[in-house]
């Protein structure tokens, strides 16, 4: 089949669909007339309702409990296994967790057309008019980086190659690119240690003396341990005059609890400073409170979705914002800072059904400035983290000039996590590849190294 997740394991293919030998070409062009790319449940001709061998249920689908892997009767969605299009907690994008089977039941789980509230796609990102992709492409399952540990790795051999590349007159930048773009961060740390052991010199200092500008910044970022790089980026964003709030948002609103706790610890040990105190000194008001909440690293990370809680939270958020004069900011802070990302996605769906309005756009009306951007970043991470980073990358290169620090930071920090998915979503959202945009916005060895990391 040409759409992900159908049919579920143990469930027979739909009779006669797609025609034998045409699996890769179905559905034919122009057969997606719906906003999400799929027809509403119980309507349309794609896919035809499976009726053979099972008692009929709502919308022409088999009755609950009547087929292999069926959800229990009583409030459960009447379609195979709760998977594929229209399923709660499954929007067809990477990073969308599937709710466990035991989570079924209750009115909050009734699917809507295309799996999106009101049949609509999630709302647009701040600072741009590009919505999430309107039709899922065939995407890699799970998450995957473009850089993986090199096989047959030899730290001493790599250290020797780097030494030769920097020795004498001039620098062999291509040799440096070939090494650093094909080694994992952990392997780069081993190369750094081997270099000092073999030559009694600091590899980073040697690289800094040979390189300059954006190429230097990119190489140094690649040789920093990931936790240190995040801590360093936060410190850089707050030291001196002014604060780079977008960096604080990008890091603190997207990392896991463990990552945040390690960043806080590293910030203290490497810079002798308390991250929370620095945030309090550099920010204020509701934005300060949101970031302080984030740097506690205490978000619920239970992947099971409580749909009743999602409904309650949706009602709570509506009463704190759209449903009253003024805004109860602390209510938004509490919900968005404590709930798991799958839970927040369910809350957004419940909010759309209840208020007939998108929670992201409601936040846009109730908040402004940095706190608005921070709250939206959390919700966008809950919906599709890869799309959040794709949007950041696009705006780092869009228009005149390039925000090289953002470009470097995202490419480096996501290169071993989900850069494959970010590239895929980027192509969907902007109808051009990430590598094409990088090639058009950068030059020289800096461009070579970025493209080597991102992959063509």
């Amino acid at each position: 089949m040409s759409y992900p997740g159908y049919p579920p394991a143990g469930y027979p293919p739909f009779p006669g669909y797609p025609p034998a030998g045409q699996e890769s070409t179905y559905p034919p062009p122009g057969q997606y007339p719906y906003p999400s790319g799929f027809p509403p449940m119980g309507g349309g001709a794609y896919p035809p309702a499976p009726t053979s061998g099972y008692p009929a249920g709502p919308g022409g689908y088999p009755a609950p409990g009547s087929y292999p892997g069926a959800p229990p009767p009583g409030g459960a969605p009447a379609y195979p296994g709760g998977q594929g299009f229209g399923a709660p907690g499954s929007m067809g994008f990477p990073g969308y967790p599937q709710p466990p089977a035991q989570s079924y039941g209750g009115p909050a789980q009734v699917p809507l057309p295309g799996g999106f509230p009101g049949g609509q796609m999630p709302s647009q990102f701040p600072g741009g008019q590009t919505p999430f992709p309107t039709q899922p492409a065939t995407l890699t399952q799970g998450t995957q980086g473009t850089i993986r540990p090199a096989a047959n790795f030899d730290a001493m051999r790599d250290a020797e190659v780097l030494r030769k590349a920097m020795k004498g007159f001039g620098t062999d930048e291509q040799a440096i690119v070939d090494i650093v773009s094909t080694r994992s961060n952990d392997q780069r740390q081993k190369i750094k240690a081997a270099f000092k052991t073999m030559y009694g010199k600091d590899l980073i200092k040697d690289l800094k003396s040979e390189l300059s500008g954006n190429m230097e910044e990119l190489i140094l970022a690649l040789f920093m341990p990931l936790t240190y790089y995040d801590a360093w980026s936060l410190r850089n964003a707050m030291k001196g005059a002014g604060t780079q709030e977008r960096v604080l948002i990008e890091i603190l609103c997207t990392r896991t609890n463990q990552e945040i706790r390690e960043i806080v610890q590293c910030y203290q040990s490497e810079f002798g400073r308390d991250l929370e105190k620095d945030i309090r000194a550099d920010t204020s008001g509701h934005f300060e409170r949101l970031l302080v909440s984030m740097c506690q690293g205490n978000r619920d990370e239970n992947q099971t979705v409580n749909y009743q809680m999602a409904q309650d939270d949706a009602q709570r958020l509506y009463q704190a914002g759209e449903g009253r004069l003024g805004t109860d900011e602390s209510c938004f802070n509490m919900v968005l800072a404590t709930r798991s990302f799958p839970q927040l996605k369910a809350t957004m769906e419940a909010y759309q059904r209840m208020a007939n309005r998108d929670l992201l756009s409601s936040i846009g009306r109730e908040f402004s400035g940095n706190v608005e951007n921070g709250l939206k970043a959390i919700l966008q991470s809950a919906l599709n983290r890869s799309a959040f980073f794709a949007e950041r990358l696009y705006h780092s290169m869009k228009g005149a000039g390039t925000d090289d620090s953002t470009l470097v930071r995202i490419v480096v920090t996501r290169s071993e996590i989900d850069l494959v998915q970010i590239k895929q979503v980027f192509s969907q959202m902007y109808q051009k590849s990430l590598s094409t945009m990088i090639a058009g916005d950068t030059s020289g060895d800096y461009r070579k190294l970025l493209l080597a990391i991102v992959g063509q």
Side-chain angles (χ1 to χ4, degrees):
M1 294 277 180
S2 62
Y3 41 92
Y6 256 70
Y11 193 82
F14 299 127
Y17 199 76
Q22 297 185 37
E23 290 83 357
S24 64
T25 62
Y26 257 69
Q31 296 300 301
Y32 281 119
Y34 301 94
S36 67
F38 298 107
M41 298 300 293
Y46 184 76
T51 56
S52 173
Y54 301 115
Y61 284 81
S66 67
Y67 50 86
Y79 52 84
Q83 296 180 15
F85 71 84
S90 174
M91 294 187 178
F93 296 113
Y96 277 9
Q98 298 279 354
Q102 65 267 26
S103 298
Y104 279 108
Q109 294 168 264
V110 178
L112 288 151
F116 292 95
Q120 301 300 313
M121 298 300 292
S123 76
Q124 297 162 343
F125 288 161
Q129 295 304 306
T130 304
F132 278 18
T134 55
Q135 181 180 314
T138 302
L139 298 173
T140 307
Q141 295 300 309
T143 54
Q144 182 185 334
T146 54
I147 292 182
R148 296 185 174 186
N152 305 316
F153 170 68
D154 184 335
M156 297 183 77
R157 183 180 61 206
D158 286 351
E160 187 177 358
V161 171
L162 291 176
R163 172 68 176 148
K164 286 179 180 176
M166 295 183 286
K167 191 176 180 181
F169 181 75
T171 306
D172 183 355
E173 284 89 356
Q174 188 60 51
I176 297 174
V177 168
D178 291 342
I179 292 287
V180 299
S181 65
T182 55
R183 306 293 186 266
S184 68
N185 189 277
D186 183 61
Q187 289 175 335
R188 288 184 217 114
Q189 305 314 312
K190 290 181 170 67
I191 294 170
K192 198 162 58 173
F195 192 93
K196 185 169 279 189
T197 300
M198 293 167 69
Y199 304 112
K201 299 181 73 177
D202 188 285
L203 174 60
I204 302 306
K205 285 183 179 176
D206 275 15
L207 287 168
K208 285 182 76 170
S209 68
E210 297 289 331
L211 305 169
S212 61
N214 294 321
M215 179 66 169
E216 178 188 349
E217 181 178 351
L218 177 55
I219 287 280
L220 296 185
L222 286 165
F223 274 99
M224 291 183 194
L226 288 174
T227 300
Y228 177 85
Y229 184 40
D230 274 346
W232 178 87
S233 297
L234 290 171
R235 178 70 193 123
N236 243 29
M238 291 186 283
K239 75 178 183 183
T243 304
Q244 299 173 48
E245 290 87 359
R246 68 185 184 282
V247 178
L248 306 184
I249 291 169
E250 179 195 304
I251 294 173
L252 294 174
C253 294
T254 64
R255 303 303 192 249
T256 65
N257 286 348
Q258 182 179 347
E259 286 168 342
I260 287 175
R261 289 169 186 166
E262 289 172 354
I263 290 166
V264 170
Q265 186 177 358
C266 179
Y267 195 93
Q268 176 70 58
S269 61
E270 295 295 328
F271 307 115
R273 304 179 68 90
D274 184 279
L275 178 58
E276 183 181 326
K277 285 183 180 176
D278 279 0
I279 287 171
R280 290 185 183 280
D282 266 62
T283 60
S284 61
H286 297 293
F287 182 54
E288 172 197 331
R289 292 170 204 168
L290 179 66
L291 293 184
V292 168
S293 293
M294 292 298 99
C295 74
Q296 304 311 303
N298 282 329
R299 181 181 298 283
D300 177 20
E301 292 188 332
N302 185 346
Q303 299 299 293
T304 302
V305 174
N306 181 330
Y307 289 95
Q308 185 58 53
M309 180 190 287
Q311 287 183 306
D312 294 343
D313 282 347
Q315 183 69 38
R316 185 180 288 120
L317 292 173
Y318 182 79
Q319 294 299 334
E322 298 276 9
R324 59 173 284 170
L325 186 64
T327 308
D328 180 0
E329 294 89 356
S330 62
C331 177
F332 281 84
N333 195 98
M334 184 276 290
V335 173
L336 270 64
T338 61
R339 306 295 190 242
S340 71
F341 285 131
Q343 184 69 37
L344 285 175
K345 190 166 78 68
T347 300
M348 295 177 76
E349 293 167 352
Y351 188 95
Q352 174 79 48
R353 292 194 294 271
M354 180 202 68
N356 198 28
R357 184 167 280 173
D358 189 298
L359 181 55
L360 279 166
S361 58
S362 288
I363 285 175
R365 282 188 290 275
E366 296 293 320
F367 295 87
S368 62
N370 292 318
V371 67
E372 175 193 351
N373 293 336
L375 293 170
K376 284 183 172 180
I378 293 168
L379 294 179
Q380 288 157 359
S381 290
L383 280 173
N384 187 342
R385 192 170 303 176
S386 297
F388 170 76
F389 285 116
E391 188 267 350
R392 290 273 172 152
L393 284 169
Y394 178 76
H395 285 285
S396 74
M397 294 178 279
K398 181 188 175 187
T402 304
D403 179 357
D404 292 289
S405 291
T406 296
L407 176 59
V408 166
R409 187 173 58 253
I410 295 177
V411 166
V412 170
T413 58
R414 310 314 294 185
S415 62
E416 293 181 50
I417 301 172
D418 55 1
L419 193 51
V420 167
Q421 283 69 35
I422 291 169
K423 286 168 56 182
Q424 291 170 325
V425 175
F426 190 98
S427 295
Q428 285 180 291
M429 292 169 72
Y430 304 110
Q431 288 74 56
K432 65 171 73 175
S433 71
L434 176 57
S435 56
T436 298
M437 198 157 182
I438 288 173
D441 242 61
T442 59
S443 61
D445 296 313
Y446 175 52
R447 172 176 19 184
K448 282 184 191 174
L449 183 50
L450 280 173
L451 291 177
I453 297 167
V454 169
Q456 298 298 323

